[in-house]
Amino acid sequence: MRILTLLLVLLISLPGFAQTASTVAGTVRDRATQELLPGVSIALEGTDFGTTTDAEGRYRLTGVPAGPYNLRATFVGYDALLRANIALSSGNVNTINLELNTAPQALAEVTVTANRAIRVATPETPLSVQRLTTEEIKSNPGGNFDISRVIQSLPGVGGGGSGGTAGFRNDIIIRGGAPNENVYYLDGIEVPVINHFPTQGSAGGPAGILNVSFIEDVTLSSSAFQARYDNALSSVLQFRQRDGNSERIQGNLRTSGTEVAATLEGPLTPNTTFLASARRSYLQVLFKLIDLPIRPDFYDFQFKTTTKLSPKTTVTTLGLGAIDHFEIVAPKNSSPSKEFVLRSNPTIDQWNYTVGVNLRQLVENGFVNVALSRTQQYGKADQFEYGFEGQEAFRKLGSRNGEIENKLRADVNKRVGRWQYSYGVVGQLQHYNNDLFNRIRSEVRDGNGALVSPAVTVRFATDLDFVRYGAFAQATRTYGAENRLTVSAGVRTDGTSALTEGYRLDRTLSPRASLSYALLPTLNLNASLGRYFKIPPSTLLGFRDENGRRVNADGRYIRSDHAVAGLEWLPGAATRFTLEGFYKKYANYPVSVRDGISLANLGGDFNAIGNEAVTSTGKGRAYGAEAFFQQKLSGKLFAIVSLTAFRSEFSGLDGVYRPTAWDTRFLGSALLGYQLGRGWEVGAKYRVGGGGPYTPYDEAASRASYQAVGTGILDYTQLNTQRLDAFQQLDLRLDKKISLRRLSFDFYIDVQNALLTKPASPPTYTFERMPDNSGYTTTDGQPLRPDGRNANPILLRDNDALVVPTIGFIVEF
């Protein structure tokens, strides 16, 4: 506490922004055609600084006192655009590239046009869409520069302890859908993995991979997906990266108690810029200090180059990679029983990368994109009986798996009069392999050494090569004398050789349509209908039985039909309200043959999802309503409030709808930020959520089988009938920004779970251990019987409240 107080006193005595000047520069393009726009007016609100873009769509403002500003771009025939709360610093040239939408209405009032500057919707996706800028990500309390955690402030988004997820993970639950129903695009190139330690066959992990220093903005669409995006059932996240600085070499260094990261950028040649970064985690050190059982250890790397071959031709390359090690250890003060359970978890080692190249060619009234990318993932998991780590005779789990995706995409995008249209194709070569050893039941012997029940082990090795392909088309048009009505319609279809009837393109025909009608210049009525498909995870496609047969080859693409309607109101130049209702209907969802239960009702395992026989017979539904309020920086204040009420239910082989693992019924979030002046900024984020459902244990079956299985046996006759306590968490953040002549500093203090709220997670069934952990206690003092009749069953609860403080700084040079 003394060190923290001394640090605060020191920061208060340091100067803020006012003494130094900064530079902001960038380009402005037409969003639909990617044409550079000359003559666009650029202004910093509340100042005399302003300019217009030149013949090549470039702008530059120099001599601006360092500090936070709202940047506004206006141009005749286009909606104004507001980039709020941009923090201009002296250390770096601040590059901000903008894309403008054509104005759908012939609006004469300047104030009305100004109000539309914070609208996020596009003609193709007029609703269920939100956008975050890099500054909103960096300053998010509790976000720790992790995009997956930051978006949990948005409506319909659960994760990080809410939405039925573990508190230390980044599983993203959107409108009651599974984490693997989301897809991610980085500058138009699909990136299957955005988190460290992802669950095989799903997503999530304790920490994100993406470097926020690369990001221009992030757009989240939770419905009304454009037809160009395949495999999305719950959301599409588009990460738009900025280009490297073309004027000089510059960079930043970020360090804290959890990580150290370095970013460098600048020109490589007169027509090529680069961005490159590397990061090393110290989370394992922090978690050890605060006696948290998880030990995530990782590295990640990222790069981007942009080459302008001509005024109309641009080539972009990008790369993203991670190296991970994850293990769980017992806290110092844990009980013998808890130590036994924790030390029985697997150790996981993983690595992955994505590299890609994108060619963008401007053509008359539009542009053509061609993208080639490759993703490779490898995972290793090992688990041994307690006390016998590394000894093969006592191995419980051994998994070696890999996946490779080589993808080629091409699309054409044009605007002619009132029409916008696009079409394209995609082809993909995919490889999946998995060598699995899993001892489901250990052998059990009685006190005389006689065998009571033999060991049951699953072994299989699979090696699968297959192709995927698809095509799409979409068209958008405005109607009416004032273009008040905008209608968009699209269709896509996909196929694969991994399924017996994957060639049936008629089975994956996915039409979609949306409309937006301006009831008032500041009030829009929006609606959409769509059918979307997703290929089953490779863990299911590649699973083989004891005879080597791929038992899930007769499966189907998972289907989800969406119906959404809502209102968007823009009452002020920096204020936005949205209200939406949604209904999602699922079909062909995987159901476990072994248990007869939908995988959605089981939730997520942190090692793998799949690796079992399933049928494509499950159904599901998720429905609810969302309200969202956003106040961009106005004066010194900015705020976000979101509320979501929903239900998420799926059926298994019996056809009965039951709550999914993510059916928490309610999500709420409020974020408030205030700029105190002299470079100080304070923020708070409060999240709440309903209790997630879980399945209780079958006490009799658990007692009888525990020695063989090593875990409790869930009572599936009571599937998800119990509920955890409600979730809540308060995160705080304090920033102090200092600008010198060629350097700038951001010192920050971030506190997660400031209220010391206890986590909510299902209990773990085990038998009580002896104080020295040499065996189990019993009711009669005799050795544990094979059927567990003399055991002392207990339920371990993870109810240790922890606050996670982080102190760090960022230096820009």
Side-chain angles (χ1 to χ4, degrees):
M1 181 61 71
R2 291 181 180 179
I3 295 176
L4 182 59
T5 303
L6 180 61
L7 177 62
L8 289 173
V9 172
L10 177 62
L11 292 179
I12 290 172
S13 65
L14 292 174
F17 281 119
Q19 288 77 18
T20 54
S22 63
T23 298
V24 57
T27 60
V28 184
R29 294 180 180 271
D30 182 302
R31 190 197 69 86
T33 67
Q34 290 298 294
E35 177 187 2
L36 290 163
L37 298 177
V40 178
S41 296
I42 305 293
L44 297 179
E45 292 184 341
T47 75
D48 294 328
F49 289 95
T51 186
T52 58
T53 56
D54 61 17
E56 297 181 359
R58 299 175 303 190
Y59 73 91
R60 182 181 176 85
L61 293 171
T62 60
V64 182
Y69 296 93
N70 287 349
L71 183 147
R72 184 177 293 272
T74 55
F75 193 45
V76 176
Y78 289 81
D79 279 337
L81 179 65
L82 177 70
R83 282 293 299 271
N85 196 20
I86 60 171
L88 300 186
S89 64
S90 59
N92 288 175
V93 173
N94 303 272
T95 303
I96 300 177
N97 297 320
L98 308 172
E99 294 184 352
L100 302 185
N101 289 311
T102 54
Q105 304 174 56
L107 299 173
E109 297 181 42
V110 175
T111 56
V112 170
T113 304
N115 285 9
R116 296 179 63 84
I118 65 166
R119 192 166 192 241
V120 178
T122 65
E124 301 89 348
T125 308
L127 77 174
S128 301
V129 60
Q130 308 292 342
R131 181 173 296 141
L132 294 170
T133 65
T134 182
E135 277 305 318
E136 290 170 321
I137 297 168
K138 291 178 180 177
S139 62
N140 188 278
N144 200 25
F145 308 98
D146 191 330
I147 297 170
S148 296
R149 291 192 177 273
V150 172
I151 66 171
Q152 294 163 18
S153 300
L154 300 179
V157 182
S162 66
T165 65
F168 67 92
R169 289 179 58 84
N170 281 350
D171 301 277
I172 300 173
I173 310 298
I174 296 182
R175 290 181 171 177
N180 64 0
E181 295 178 14
N182 311 306
V183 295
Y184 314 101
Y185 284 83
L186 188 64
D187 286 347
I189 290 177
E190 186 175 3
V191 181
V193 178
I194 66 166
N195 286 302
H196 291 279
F197 318 101
T199 300
Q200 186 189 10
S202 184
I209 297 176
L210 295 172
N211 184 348
V212 70
S213 296
F214 281 53
I215 301 300
E216 190 88 67
D217 55 46
V218 179
T219 301
L220 169 66
S221 305
S222 49
S223 193
F225 310 132
Q226 292 187 40
R228 70 178 71 244
Y229 300 118
D230 62 316
N231 244 26
L233 298 183
S234 282
S235 81
V236 175
L237 275 91
Q238 304 168 61
F239 304 96
R240 190 165 66 99
Q241 299 184 112
R242 63 185 181 86
D243 295 332
N245 179 28
S246 61
E247 301 177 12
R248 63 178 176 89
I249 298 293
Q250 63 181 34
N252 67 68
L253 176 68
R254 184 174 78 239
T255 184
S256 70
T258 62
E259 64 184 16
V260 58
T263 302
L264 198 65
E265 63 176 292
L268 286 176
T269 69
N271 65 338
T272 300
T273 63
F274 80 95
L275 278 162
S277 74
R279 178 170 58 151
R280 172 73 165 95
S281 165
Y282 292 122
L283 277 173
Q284 74 279 14
V285 178
L286 174 65
F287 290 168
K288 183 177 181 180
L289 288 174
I290 62 177
D291 207 23
L292 202 63
I294 61 174
R295 297 289 191 271
D297 184 11
F298 63 80
Y299 298 83
D300 58 48
F301 314 91
Q302 193 170 343
F303 76 86
K304 177 185 178 180
T305 69
T306 304
T307 302
K308 296 181 179 179
L309 299 179
S310 72
K312 293 184 176 294
T313 308
T314 303
V315 175
T316 300
T317 66
L318 60 83
L320 183 69
I323 303 172
D324 304 331
H325 174 79
F326 184 85
E327 60 184 87
I328 296 179
V329 300
K332 297 176 182 178
N333 298 320
S334 64
S335 66
S337 299
K338 188 171 185 179
E339 179 181 348
F340 177 81
V341 170
L342 290 173
R343 292 190 182 278
S344 298
N345 281 282
T347 298
I348 300 173
D349 290 280
Q350 298 171 311
W351 57 261
N352 66 79
Y353 71 83
T354 296
V355 293
V357 58
N358 185 86
L359 171 67
R360 184 179 65 200
Q361 176 69 47
L362 300 186
V363 297
E364 184 178 1
N365 299 321
F367 63 98
V368 177
N369 266 332
V370 179
L372 178 65
S373 63
R374 175 183 173 89
T375 295
Q376 184 169 1
Q377 306 176 55
Y378 172 79
K380 180 177 77 170
D382 294 296
Q383 183 180 1
F384 300 87
E385 291 184 16
Y386 175 80
F388 298 95
E389 289 78 6
Q391 301 185 39
E392 287 299 321
F394 298 92
R395 177 181 290 276
K396 298 179 66 177
L397 172 68
S399 174
R400 306 292 185 270
N401 59 81
E403 196 161 357
I404 301 173
E405 299 179 11
N406 299 295
K407 182 173 291 189
L408 178 64
R409 291 178 177 270
D411 55 75
V412 178
N413 309 266
K414 287 199 170 186
R415 183 177 63 214
V416 179
R418 289 187 170 189
W419 286 93
Q420 291 184 30
Y421 63 90
S422 59
Y423 56 89
V425 294
V426 59
Q428 184 169 327
L429 297 175
Q430 195 157 336
H431 170 83
Y432 170 73
N433 63 274
N434 191 2
D435 189 350
L436 179 71
F437 170 92
N438 189 6
R439 195 167 73 214
I440 297 176
R441 297 178 63 92
S442 300
E443 69 173 29
V444 178
R445 297 180 180 270
D446 62 20
N448 298 319
L451 183 67
V452 175
S453 62
V456 177
T457 301
V458 173
R459 289 177 178 266
F460 78 86
T462 186
D463 199 299
L464 177 64
D465 291 285
F466 59 99
V467 297
R468 291 169 52 188
Y469 43 88
F472 80 92
Q474 184 143 0
T476 306
R477 191 185 189 280
T478 58
Y479 293 89
E482 295 183 335
N483 295 332
R484 288 187 176 272
L485 176 65
T486 301
V487 178
S488 185
V491 64
R492 77 168 291 122
T493 186
D494 295 278
T496 181
S497 64
L499 298 173
T500 304
E501 295 191 353
Y503 64 89
R504 292 280 303 273
L505 298 182
D506 59 307
R507 287 188 170 182
T508 59
L509 200 64
S510 53
R512 72 235 21 222
S514 62
L515 64 85
S516 179
Y517 184 76
L519 300 172
L520 297 170
T522 58
L523 181 64
N524 280 50
L525 173 65
N526 308 303
S528 71
L529 290 170
R531 170 165 290 182
Y532 310 104
F533 287 92
K534 170 183 170 55
I535 192 171
S538 297
T539 49
L540 294 178
L541 296 176
F543 177 75
R544 299 178 187 269
D545 62 14
E546 61 274 9
N547 298 316
R549 184 176 65 91
R550 283 202 305 120
V551 296
N552 298 324
D554 293 332
R556 300 277 294 271
Y557 273 74
I558 305 169
R559 191 185 83 200
S560 182
D561 299 334
H562 291 204
V564 189
L567 295 168
E568 180 184 46
W569 181 37
L570 309 173
T575 307
R576 178 170 171 255
F577 286 93
T578 64
L579 180 65
E580 294 183 6
F582 62 90
Y583 186 90
K584 296 170 24 177
K585 182 179 180 181
Y586 291 83
N588 309 332
Y589 210 88
V591 174
S592 170
V593 172
R594 181 182 62 229
D595 302 317
I597 296 171
S598 171
L599 297 191
N601 294 117
L602 295 176
D605 185 281
F606 297 155
N607 181 29
I609 289 179
N611 290 334
E612 62 176 306
V614 298
T615 63
S616 296
T617 56
K619 297 181 179 181
R621 60 195 179 198
Y623 52 92
E626 297 173 351
F628 179 69
F629 163 78
Q630 184 176 31
Q631 176 66 52
K632 294 283 190 178
L633 180 63
S634 179
K636 296 182 178 294
L637 182 71
F638 56 93
I640 289 177
V641 178
S642 65
L643 299 171
T644 305
F646 70 100
R647 297 288 295 270
S648 177
E649 303 167 325
F650 279 71
S651 66
L653 290 180
D654 60 4
V656 178
Y657 283 97
R658 293 181 174 87
T660 68
W662 311 291
D663 180 48
T664 58
R665 309 288 175 90
F666 172 76
L667 293 170
S669 175
L671 184 150
L672 183 67
Y674 189 79
Q675 294 179 348
L676 303 170
R678 292 178 56 84
W680 286 93
E681 182 176 310
V682 62
K685 179 176 67 178
Y686 182 68
R687 293 185 298 134
V688 295
Y694 71 96
T695 303
Y697 292 102
D698 183 323
E699 205 284 328
S702 297
R703 179 187 289 265
S705 302
Y706 184 81
Q707 287 191 82
V709 180
T711 62
I713 304 298
L714 297 176
D715 183 0
Y716 285 135
T717 64
Q718 302 184 64
L719 179 65
N720 288 348
T721 56
Q722 306 295 312
R723 287 196 174 265
L724 302 172
D725 293 336
F727 165 85
Q728 66 168 331
Q729 182 167 314
L730 174 66
D731 302 325
L732 304 173
R733 185 181 176 96
L734 178 67
D735 283 82
K736 168 65 172 177
K737 296 181 173 66
I738 302 167
S739 284
L740 306 177
R741 185 173 180 273
R742 293 294 296 270
L743 293 173
S744 61
F745 299 88
D746 181 357
F747 296 89
Y748 63 90
I749 300 171
D750 191 280
V751 180
Q752 297 181 37
N753 196 24
L755 296 180
L756 280 174
T757 306
K758 293 182 178 180
S761 60
T764 300
Y765 183 96
T766 187
F767 287 169
E768 185 181 61
R769 302 282 294 181
M770 294 180 179
D772 62 357
N773 230 328
S774 60
Y776 297 104
T777 66
T778 57
T779 57
D780 54 10
Q782 300 299 312
L784 184 66
R785 296 181 181 180
D787 60 5
R789 281 184 297 170
N790 62 338
N792 290 305
I794 57 174
L795 292 177
L796 296 177
R797 301 185 180 275
D798 181 13
N799 55 5
D800 296 327
L802 289 173
V803 59
V804 182
T806 302
I807 300 175
F809 71 89
I810 305 169
V811 55
E812 295 182 348
F813 53 88

